[in-house]
Each structure stands twice: as C-alpha cells, then as structure tokens.
Amino acid sequence: MPKSVLQFARKLMKRRKFSRAISLLENNGKHYGGSYEYYLALGTSCLYVGDYGSAWNYYEEARKIKVQGTELYLGQAVILLRRGETERAVQYYLDIQGMNPSNPVAADALEFIRKSNNNYDVISAYFDSGKIEKFYPPLGMNPDLIRNCILAGLILGLCISSSFIIGYLHSRPKVSKPVDPKEQFLQDMRLSEGERLSPSQSGYIPSASSQQALQGGDGSPDDVAAPVTVQLSDSEIKASYDKALDLVIKERDNAAHVELNRLLRSNATSSIKAKASDLLSSLYKIQPAFGNLKDNFSYKEVVQDPGLYDGCYVEWKGRIANPVKADDGSISFDLLEGYDSKVVLEGIVKVYIPESRTRQSIDGTMVYIVKLDTEKPVRVLGCVQQVGDSFILNGVSVNQPAKGDSLEDLSR
C-alpha cells in the first residue's frame, strides 16, 4: 500500500470528504495487510457519515492490531453511547484520561453523561441534532474553511468596491436566492456520470482523486468492497439508488432505508455505497411514532430477509407472552404477531424495551411507566435489528387499550 494513499485519505477526512476517503481506502485495501492506521481511518470516516455498524467493525479490526489508542477509544465510546451501553462508554473515557489526562473530549463527554443522568432519550436527542459530533475523534481545522474565509474576504472586498458601479447601473439589483442546504445535499447525492456508466464493482472506474493519490503506482486500483450478499445488475443498482433518493426527497425514510440496505449489501461500487451511507445517515431526523409511520412492513416480509429491513421501523399488533423485567430496568417479551384478535398467529418475535423508555424518576423514585397486560391486545412500534439469520424488535412505543379488549384506531 503506497504511503501516499493513507496520507491522502487523512487529508480528505480533515476536509470532511468522508465518502471519498472511504472509497479511496476500500479500493486499496489489499495493500494494507493488517495496518492499524488503515482500519482506524476507515472507522473514523464511517463514524462521521453515520455508518456506526461499519465504524465499529473497523475499530474492532484496529483493536486486534493495537489494543490502546485515543482515537480508537473515542470512536468506540461514542458508538457505545448510541447503543445505550453508557457504563462501557464511561470506562472507555476513563481509560482515555488514563492515557491522556488533559484530553478535552473525554472530559466533556463524561460531564455530558453525568448531566444527562444516563437518560437514553437525552443521549438520542444529541445524536439526532448532530451535537454528538463534538465527542467524535477530533480532525482539526478544515483547511477548506480557512481557504473559504480568505476567499470570502476577497469577494466581500470586491463586492464593496463594485457596489457603487452596480448601484449606478441597476437601481434594483437582483438578489441571488441562497442555496438550501438540504437541496444541495440531495444534489450532491445524485450519481455521477462515471457511477452511472459503471455502477457495479466489476466495472469500477477510479475517480480523479484516486488516480492523483496513486501517482507512481500502476494507476488502476482493484475495487475492494465489503462482503456481497446481493448480486444486482447495473440497471438494478441504478434503479435502486434512484428510487432510494426519490423516497428520501419525499421524506419516506422507512421505504428509502430498505433500498439503501439493498445497495449496501450488493455488488455496487464503494463510491455508490458511500453515498448510500450518507443518505442513510440523513434518515429519521424525527423518530417515527404511532400514526405517522408512512411505510410499514409486515412480519412475513421481514422474516423472509431480516437484513433487508435492519434498522427499519415497523408497527405490529398482537398479544404479549413471557414478559420479563430485568434488573437494569429494561423489559422484554414475546410478541405474538397478528394474534391480537386470537384468530391467526403470524409469528413470534422478541421485543426489547430499554430502561430509558420503561421507567422515569418521580420524586426521586424510578417508576415503571410501561405496564404490560398479557390478557389484552397490544400495538408495538419498534426498530428491526438483525440477529444472525433472525431478528428482534427494539421497542419504541407500546399501546394497549385502557378499557375493553380492542385496540384504538390511531390512523390519521
């Protein structure tokens, strides 16, 4: 692996060009042969684009080579916070302070955890707002920002100088409409001409930045991608990506998630997968709730291919069996899906509800706010999590009738 490629990837990361950094590193993975810095750079890049699963896997590969490291611990600690494993995250931050007592990120993260009182809803809100990035491994000042500030100053001076001429020529100068950040993001996410020409791994065409970074090499890096479980034709890859982008524009996040999962498991090129990861990180800015889930998926659909629906939300009805309250305050039970009317049982799925959603502090005492009745039907809103060849539901909300034996109609 030419040293210049890793250095170039780090420069891309510093400029916040994470998708390009991921693509460059993955396309040259065969040269690394167990490099700690390689897996560390990939893990941090995936973290910043919101692909927490890939970030964790790359950090774990780095840990096999070198157990300790500030960037490694910071990256894994913030992922543990997202998972709700706060105690492990705290231990990681304490380990960082053991290595580097003056590390400001670890100190700020510990203070945040203390003030949040280990409330998962508060932590989740930090992720949803993007504020959690302050606890990510720091990348330093973006050189593009410095350059843009200089250019902005020059342009401002030019504008002031020319304003008199413009005012003289035009009594009502035209004011350009500012670019909407969301629209700009969606424009950037469209497939390039090269990606449309060769969307599958076998037809990968290196980008100009990749070729520039590889000067002195053979100029034709092999495309090294994650394990492929879905084989798609070129036309299917383009159609799936275009559909996903269209669904994101229409704010149908759940349906878009399925298409993005399909692409991330497919033989699409790394650059397309990187864009798919960027789109995935933009979903669910508002967490789904009963009555506003635009695209629901049936138990039969999910059980046939759990990986395709991993991370998607579903709203199912049924009955409760085997409820268990754990010592940590969490609740789990078996959902007899489709059995709410005691006529047809579609299947049985394990539902897990974390302590942050089952209890709250009332006058200093933790009190259960979720009460489960095995004698009444139940409506569950949860997030699909693939576990091996099967799946579980991470519960978000549970609804049972206060009176009678029929569920309320929550449709809007």
Side-chain angles (χ1 to χ4, degrees), residues 347-393:
I348 302 176
V349 59
K350 179 67 72 176
V351 178
Y352 169 79
I353 306 177
E355 182 267 347
S356 61
R357 297 187 180 278
T358 62
R359 300 195 300 176
Q360 68 179 22
S361 177
I362 299 178
D363 295 332
T365 302
M366 295 302 293
V367 177
Y368 276 96
I369 58 175
V370 174
K371 302 183 185 299
L372 303 178
D373 190 340
T374 58
E375 299 300 319
K376 292 185 176 182
V378 65
R379 179 187 285 107
V380 175
L381 176 67
C383 182
V384 176
Q385 178 184 340
Q386 183 181 14
V387 180
D389 294 331
S390 187
F391 68 97
I392 63 171
L393 283 188

Side-chain angles (χ1 to χ4, degrees), residues 191-385:
L191 295 182
S192 66
E193 184 177 348
E195 289 167 334
R196 286 195 171 279
L197 183 62
S198 302
S200 62
Q201 289 180 14
S202 59
Y204 175 74
I205 298 177
S207 64
S209 60
S210 298
Q211 292 175 345
Q212 179 182 358
L214 289 168
Q215 285 179 353
D218 59 9
S220 57
D222 294 329
D223 185 61
V224 180
V228 174
T229 59
V230 178
Q231 287 287 343
L232 300 176
S233 67
D234 284 357
S235 60
E236 288 174 328
I237 292 173
K238 291 184 287 186
S240 182
Y241 188 90
D242 289 342
K243 181 179 179 181
L245 184 58
D246 182 62
L247 288 168
V248 172
I249 293 172
K250 294 177 179 178
E251 298 184 347
R252 292 176 56 189
D253 291 1
N254 224 28
H257 200 148
V258 174
E259 294 302 322
L260 295 172
N261 279 346
R262 192 191 318 278
L263 287 165
L264 291 172
R265 301 163 67 206
S266 76
N267 54 316
T269 60
S270 296
S271 62
I272 292 180
K273 288 185 177 181
K275 285 186 175 180
S277 293
D278 285 348
L279 284 175
L280 199 62
S281 66
S282 72
L283 302 182
Y284 307 120
K285 296 303 182 185
I286 300 177
Q287 190 175 59
F290 286 128
N292 72 355
L293 190 64
K294 293 183 179 180
D295 295 278
N296 196 14
F297 308 109
S298 68
Y299 175 84
K300 290 182 178 179
E301 290 176 304
V302 176
V303 77
Q304 288 178 359
D305 190 355
L308 188 61
Y309 300 92
D310 187 35
C312 296
Y313 289 84
V314 294
E315 183 180 319
W316 291 343
K317 296 185 291 185
R319 295 270 174 169
I320 292 172
N322 306 317
V324 175
K325 293 182 179 178
D327 293 338
D328 63 1
S330 63
I331 292 177
S332 64
F333 59 88
D334 293 329
L335 174 65
L336 310 181
E337 205 284 322
Y339 199 58
D340 51 301
S341 58
K342 294 187 177 182
V343 176
V344 178
L345 174 63
E346 297 287 349
I348 302 176
V349 59
K350 179 67 72 176
V351 178
Y352 169 79
I353 306 177
E355 182 267 347
S356 61
R357 297 187 180 278
T358 62
R359 300 195 300 176
Q360 68 179 22
S361 177
I362 299 178
D363 295 332
T365 302
M366 295 302 293
V367 177
Y368 276 96
I369 58 175
V370 174
K371 302 183 185 299
L372 303 178
D373 190 340
T374 58
E375 299 300 319
K376 292 185 176 182
V378 65
R379 179 187 285 107
V380 175
L381 176 67
C383 182
V384 176
Q385 178 184 340

Side-chain angles (χ1 to χ4, degrees), residues 21-43:
I22 292 169
S23 179
L24 177 63
L25 290 170
E26 288 186 338
N27 292 336
N28 294 276
K30 70 175 186 178
H31 300 284
Y32 275 93
S35 166
Y36 172 80
E37 290 297 331
Y38 168 74
Y39 291 119
L40 196 63
L42 265 173

Side-chain angles (χ1 to χ4, degrees), residues 80-93:
L80 290 170
L81 275 181
R82 176 178 170 79
R83 294 178 176 176
E85 299 181 44
T86 312
E87 291 183 1
R88 286 184 64 190
V90 168
Q91 185 58 55
Y92 276 45
Y93 287 125

Side-chain angles (χ1 to χ4, degrees), residues 58-69:
Y58 285 128
Y59 281 142
E60 282 296 280
E61 289 298 322
R63 182 181 284 273
K64 293 177 184 177
I65 301 167
K66 181 180 177 182
V67 176
Q68 291 185 335

